[in-house]
Structures are given as C-alpha cells and as structure tokens.
Amino acid sequence: MTETPAVDVLIIGSGAAGLTAALRLPTHLKVTLLSKGAINSGSTPWAQGGIAAALGGIEDVEQHVHDTCRAGSDLPDVTVVRRVVASGARQIDWLRSLGMPFSSEDAPGETGTEQLHLTREGGHGTRRVAHAADHTGRTLVETLLETVYTRPNITLLEHQLAVDLITTHRLGLNDQPNRCVGAYVLDLKSDHVHTLRAGHVILATGGAAKAYLYTTNPDSSTGDGIAMGWRAGCRVANMEFMQFHPTCLFEPRAKSFLISEAVRGEGGVLLLPDGTRFMPGYHPDAELAPRDVVARAIDSEMKRTGADCVYLDISFKGKAFIEQHFPMIHARCLQYGYDMTRQPLPVVPAAHYTCGGIVVDEHGCTDIAGLYAIGETSHTGLHGANRLASNSLLECLVYGEAAAADIAQRHETDKSKTQPFPVIPDWDDSQVTDPDEAVIVSHNWDELRRAMWDYVGIVRTTKRLERAAHRIALLRREIQDYYAHFRVSNNLIELRNLVEVADLIVKSALARRESRGLHFTRDFPERNPELAHINTICNPQSQRPPSATKEVENQVRSSL
C-alpha cells in the first residue's frame, strides 16, 4: 500500500523567505506553511533597516555588487551577487504591487510623488536601502500575509516545530537517490508529533544567533533548519561567519533590542563614555564601515577602557527628524528611560546574523532532491565573510521566488511519472518516557550559550575554540542521551539543534586559519590571499574535519 503526499509543498518557516515562496508558487499547488510561534513571529519582523536595492540602473547595480563583495571580504560568489542585486528593483516593484507602504520622499502631509526615500547603511557607497520607516521587517510580513490570507491553496499552521526531515534513506530506501518526502512536526499546543508528507520541502527557519548568550534575535532563532538539513545529509558552509550587530541597546530589560544601522546611516556617531568619538581611528568610513569592523572596534574599545558599553548619538539631528525616521526605536527606548532626541544611547555588540548555512544552488536546491533552503538558513554565496547591511531581506525575496519557480517546473515535469510515494511510519515514542529532570535541559542550554559567547565570539583564539569544542562534545553526548530516552519538547528540540549548529560553527572556525570578515583570530590575524573565494565546507558524508582549502572547494564546485 502506498500513500500520496498530503501537500505539494511544505514550507517550514513563516518569515520573509517562506512567505515569499508561498506567494510565488502557482495557486494550483497545495501548500502548507508552518510557523514555530504565531504566524507573524520570527526574525523578519525584527528587521528595522530595509531592503537594499539598486534602483539607479546598471551603474548602481555594479556599485552594489562592489559594496557586497567588499563587505564580504572577497569571499562572495560574484555571479551570485550580481544575479541577486540585479533583481532588486524587480523585487521592490513586486512588493509595491502588493501594497507595501515604503517610506517616500513626500514632505509630511503631502502625497503623490511616489519617490521612495532611500537611506544609507554601513558598507554601502550610496543611499540604496528602501524602507518603511524603522519597521521594514514588520511591515513586510504584514504585507505578505495580507496576500497569503487571500490564497485558498495556502494553509497556515501556527505553533508547529519541525523535529526532523523525512528522507527516503531514513526510511531505508537506500537503493534510490535520497529524497526529502516530509517532516515530523511537534504540535506545541497538544505536544503531539505528527507526520507531514510533501512532494517538496522548503527550509526557511532563519538563523542560529540564539547559540550565543547575547543576541538581537528572537528566541526562535535556534538553527532548526540548518541542523535538520545537516542531519539529513546536506553540506553546510561558512558557519564560522556569525555576524555581530554593533549596536544593541545596553539595557537588560530590553533583551538586546537592536538599534538600526540606519541610525548611523543618517549621521549617528559612536562615542566613548567620556564623549570621545573613536571610529575614524579604525576605518576611513568611520561609523559607516562594515559591521564586522564596527563590532570589533567597539569590542576593542570596551576592553581597552573597561567600559560596559559605548554610546550612539544622533540627538543633534533634532526631535522632528528622529521621530519621522525612527519612530519605533524612539518609542521603544523611551520605555526604558532613554530619549534619543536628547541623549546618546548605550549600545553593545550582540550576535545577529548567520552568514553560513546549508549549501544551495541558484534555485535554493540542496544536496537532497525535493529539499530547498532559503533565507538565513541557506548558504547561497551572497554574503561571504560578512553580510552587507539590508542584503538579507533582498536574498529572502530573490530565493523565495527562485525556489518557487524551480518547484513549479519540476512539479509539471513529474506529473507524468507514476512512481509511488513511499509509506511513512508515524512518529514512534513508545520507547521513551516523560522527562524526569527538566533542569538538565535548561542547564545545558545556558552552558552552551555561555561557552559560545566566551570562546567563539567577536575575537577568537585557537585555544578558546578548542575549549569550546571540548565542552560542546560533552554537551552533545548529554543532549543526545536525553533525546533518546525522553519525549521531545520545545526546549529539547531547540537545544538539540543549537548544539549541532554550535559544533559546526566551532569546527568551521578552527578550519579557517586566517582572519577574514567576521572571523577574527589572534593566532592568524592576517587575511590569507590564497583563501580568497574559498568556502569552509562541512560534509556529513565525510569523517574528515571541515577544510577551507582550494582542493576541497574545487571538489564542491564540481559536485554542484
């Protein structure tokens, strides 16, 4: 007896990438989209800055390509960069056709000019960031959801946490190429694991910044898609490049509230506690230098002076300007007693964006047939060693469209095939019991994130990384033993994923014996020219450690 797929496409993740893919898919395909929390949760609504888009023609496209490659320390794939950047204007037009209310150049009280207001952020040579005030991500999700709600072919399921992917090899069908055919998913309201069968699966679960003690990300950024893809057999690349956002509000009650890059783009300056400006001594672009430079500069000054934070000042721009350009940031800071129209804001760096991820091609296809990865979950070649500000939402839009187009084409091609869909057994928890000591999970969660912050942070050494590797190995064994004996829960699943991702980050960092972009190690403080354009590839099919070498990279390229 065979089963037919319950849906044509299963999308795991409800951020910009997942929602874009759902909308770009043909309406005759049956689509199920999962959200770990509420449908509008996740990282995208937290994005304040905007969408980088070259709207000024071919010269602006080439300048955007240059800025992206420079920010990425020569590691981005230029072909990928040019393809993504060249579609920026088209993606903005698509969003405007959906009703996305971008900020315009209209004076207050005026309408009709239709000229977008473009801001500038760190690493950009000009103003090219389209935005909706300082809440672009939230507005983007709201715009996409308004259209999703009108599509009867799309089913939205909230509070659903994917446990693992289901592949034909996992089912024991090793006589055929490995293919993803669904996922086991935990319903967080009923605590029941159910089986979702699908012809195609898209991982759009975001990044893994929650591996660190201090992060700008929501609690859901636990590397779920990266870990699931890795366990299923996908290669993962460049996990050593974790971006630390330079400016998070230094306020415990705010849980690392992000102060947008656009604040510096509009003239904000960074100051020491005594009021001294320091960024001009670190980079010609000062506060508009790439994020890795600014984050390291802040970290260096805090360690040099013993200060708990530095300060970001834009108060000299005046109340009217600040309230018009940064209404959400201004309001949120006021909640904690900081008035950015009158005083500098205390800021510190925090883990922000995962530049590495599951290796994909130009369509978002992974190493496993039927499985796609898009957005922060993926490694496309766009970001290299450091993401240029506001390129992330652009990547989500471009690859959401690309994956949808590829699935649509393959679906039409496969319709004539009569190969039966494999029988998938239900989740079996008959051999496990309810956990007896949940404190073990919470303790391991805290220990893992502290170890990553202390040993695998902004500035690294081989000795620190080796210490982290040792601790993570111990934690992995404890967590796997716990997972094998007790029923799954939200915290256990996320911890299992985080420790997998943390292990990949540390192994990748040890493999890259140079300093490049976001990866800075005191043992190899200089950039190695021979490693330009060379990615660090982790291959689950190989027992060898990851390597950042030309030989490995050439093998990878030939296999794609």
Side-chain angles (χ1 to χ4, degrees):
M1 179 179 178
T2 60
E3 300 178 67
T4 57
V7 294
D8 296 307
V9 185
L10 172 63
I11 301 175
I12 305 174
S14 62
L19 292 172
T20 297
L23 287 176
R24 293 289 198 174
L25 285 164
T27 55
H28 65 270
L29 295 184
K30 189 176 181 181
V31 179
T32 293
L33 188 146
L34 306 182
S35 179
K36 192 195 299 192
I39 202 66
N40 59 351
S41 62
S43 294
T44 300
W46 291 46
Q48 298 170 356
I51 303 169
L55 304 180
I58 187 62
E59 290 186 4
D60 195 14
V61 167
E62 290 306 313
Q63 183 62 45
H64 193 173
V65 171
H66 169 78
D67 292 345
T68 298
C69 293
R70 185 181 68 159
S73 299
D74 297 327
L75 198 57
D77 184 322
V78 178
T79 301
V80 171
V81 174
R82 183 166 283 107
R83 183 173 63 248
V84 172
V85 166
S87 68
R90 183 165 54 81
Q91 299 299 333
I92 296 296
D93 287 343
W94 179 66
L95 290 176
R96 296 181 80 177
S97 74
L98 297 180
M100 174 85 175
F102 287 103
S103 295
S104 72
E105 292 284 6
D106 295 336
E110 295 181 2
T111 59
T113 66
E114 298 295 320
Q115 181 68 37
L116 296 184
H117 177 270
L118 302 177
T119 191
R120 183 184 176 190
E121 297 184 347
H124 289 273
T126 188
R127 290 177 174 268
R128 67 165 66 91
V129 180
H131 62 103
D134 61 348
H135 45 76
T136 305
R138 186 185 71 194
T139 303
L140 174 60
V141 168
E142 290 171 351
T143 301
L144 296 175
L145 279 174
E146 285 179 5
T147 306
V148 165
Y149 289 142
T150 68
R151 300 284 178 86
N153 67 308
I154 302 175
T155 300
L156 304 177
L157 298 179
E158 297 181 307
H159 307 290
Q160 306 291 316
L161 175 57
V163 181
D164 259 326
L165 298 171
I166 304 170
T167 66
T168 51
H169 284 187
R170 176 172 180 160
L171 296 175
L173 304 175
N174 296 316
D175 58 339
Q176 55 185 270
N178 200 17
R179 181 177 182 83
C180 187
V181 292
Y184 290 115
V185 179
L186 174 65
D187 186 318
L188 296 176
K189 290 186 175 180
S190 68
D191 288 331
H192 172 69
V193 177
H194 54 107
T195 306
L196 290 181
R197 304 185 306 277
H200 304 272
V201 177
I202 300 177
L203 294 172
T205 60
K210 198 67 179 178
Y212 288 86
L213 187 61
Y214 302 109
T215 173
T216 65
N217 286 200
D219 291 340
S220 58
S221 297
T222 50
D224 302 333
I226 298 172
M228 286 191 293
W230 171 255
R231 287 194 295 265
C234 295
R235 286 169 302 144
V236 173
N238 288 3
M239 291 300 292
E240 69 269 35
F241 300 118
M242 177 65 71
Q243 185 179 80
F244 287 76
H245 197 286
T247 54
C248 291
L249 186 67
F250 182 60
E251 168 54 61
R253 295 170 297 170
K255 292 191 69 175
S256 298
F257 176 66
L258 173 67
I259 306 298
S260 172
E261 189 116 2
V263 173
R264 284 177 283 131
E266 293 296 334
V269 294
L270 288 165
L271 308 172
L272 293 175
D274 64 3
T276 303
R277 190 180 175 196
F278 59 89
M279 276 309 303
Y282 282 90
H283 195 277
D285 293 337
E287 281 79 8
L288 290 176
R291 287 179 177 175
D292 62 315
V293 175
V294 181
R296 272 200 305 277
I298 294 174
D299 181 72
S300 175
E301 289 299 317
M302 287 171 58
K303 289 176 178 175
R304 183 183 68 82
T305 64
D308 293 327
C309 64
V310 298
Y311 292 85
L312 177 60
D313 187 21
I314 197 172
S315 60
F316 53 86
K317 282 284 192 175
K319 184 175 182 180
F321 178 90
I322 292 171
E323 289 182 341
Q324 178 186 356
H325 287 78
F326 309 109
M328 185 182 73
I329 297 174
H330 178 235
R332 183 73 178 273
C333 289
L334 282 176
Q335 293 177 8
Y336 303 109
Y338 301 102
D339 185 351
M340 63 188 294
T341 69
R342 304 179 62 180
Q343 65 186 127
L345 299 174
V347 295
V348 292
H352 181 61
Y353 189 87
T354 309
C355 288
I358 297 173
V359 175
V360 298
D361 66 9
E362 67 269 27
H363 307 294
C365 299
T366 71
D367 296 328
I368 299 174
L371 180 65
Y372 298 74
I374 57 178
E376 197 174 352
T377 305
S378 67
H379 171 264
T380 64
L382 175 64
H383 305 306
N386 183 22
R387 175 177 67 89
L388 181 65
S390 290
N391 268 358
S392 52
L393 292 181
L394 175 62
E395 182 184 42
C396 289
L397 296 167
V398 171
Y399 279 85
E401 179 185 30
D406 193 70
I407 289 171
Q409 181 180 8
R410 290 176 186 271
H411 183 79
E412 291 303 312
T413 303
D414 293 345
K415 279 199 305 186
S416 60
K417 298 180 181 179
T418 58
Q419 185 175 1
F421 200 80
V423 175
I424 300 175
D426 290 334
W427 179 262
D428 182 10
D429 59 1
S430 61
Q431 304 300 311
V432 297
T433 63
D434 291 326
D436 53 358
E437 291 184 320
V439 68
I440 295 175
V441 173
S442 60
H443 175 79
N444 285 353
W445 182 284
D446 183 68
E447 183 178 349
L448 174 65
R449 298 177 67 214
R450 286 185 182 277
M452 290 295 290
W453 183 261
D454 291 340
Y455 300 133
V456 201
I458 297 173
V459 177
R460 302 162 178 174
T461 67
T462 300
K463 190 171 184 179
R464 289 179 190 172
L465 292 173
E466 289 172 345
R467 286 174 176 168
H470 176 70
R471 282 160 173 76
I472 289 170
L474 294 175
L475 288 170
R476 283 189 77 204
R477 287 196 291 269
E478 285 186 18
I479 293 165
Q480 186 55 40
D481 181 69
Y482 197 92
Y483 177 82
H485 289 89
F486 299 109
R487 289 190 175 89
V488 295
S489 65
N490 178 60
N491 286 341
L492 177 56
I493 293 169
E494 290 184 331
L495 178 60
R496 179 179 178 235
N497 291 333
L498 269 185
V499 77
E500 201 76 75
V501 171
D503 184 59
L504 290 168
I505 293 172
V506 172
K507 287 179 177 176
S508 298
L510 282 168
R512 185 167 289 277
R513 299 167 70 85
E514 66 163 350
S515 290
R516 183 180 296 272
L518 301 166
H519 173 68
F520 182 85
T521 170
R522 288 177 177 169
D523 294 302
F524 304 96
E526 304 299 325
R527 189 186 301 188
N528 183 349
E530 293 186 1
L531 296 181
H533 311 298
I534 304 303
N535 296 313
T536 307
I537 305 294
C538 298
N539 189 341
Q541 310 304 326
S542 173
Q543 297 303 311
R544 294 182 302 171
S547 176
T549 67
K550 291 183 178 180
E551 289 76 16
V552 170
E553 177 62 9
N554 288 336
Q555 292 171 15
V556 169
R557 286 179 177 167
S558 65
S559 67
L560 282 176

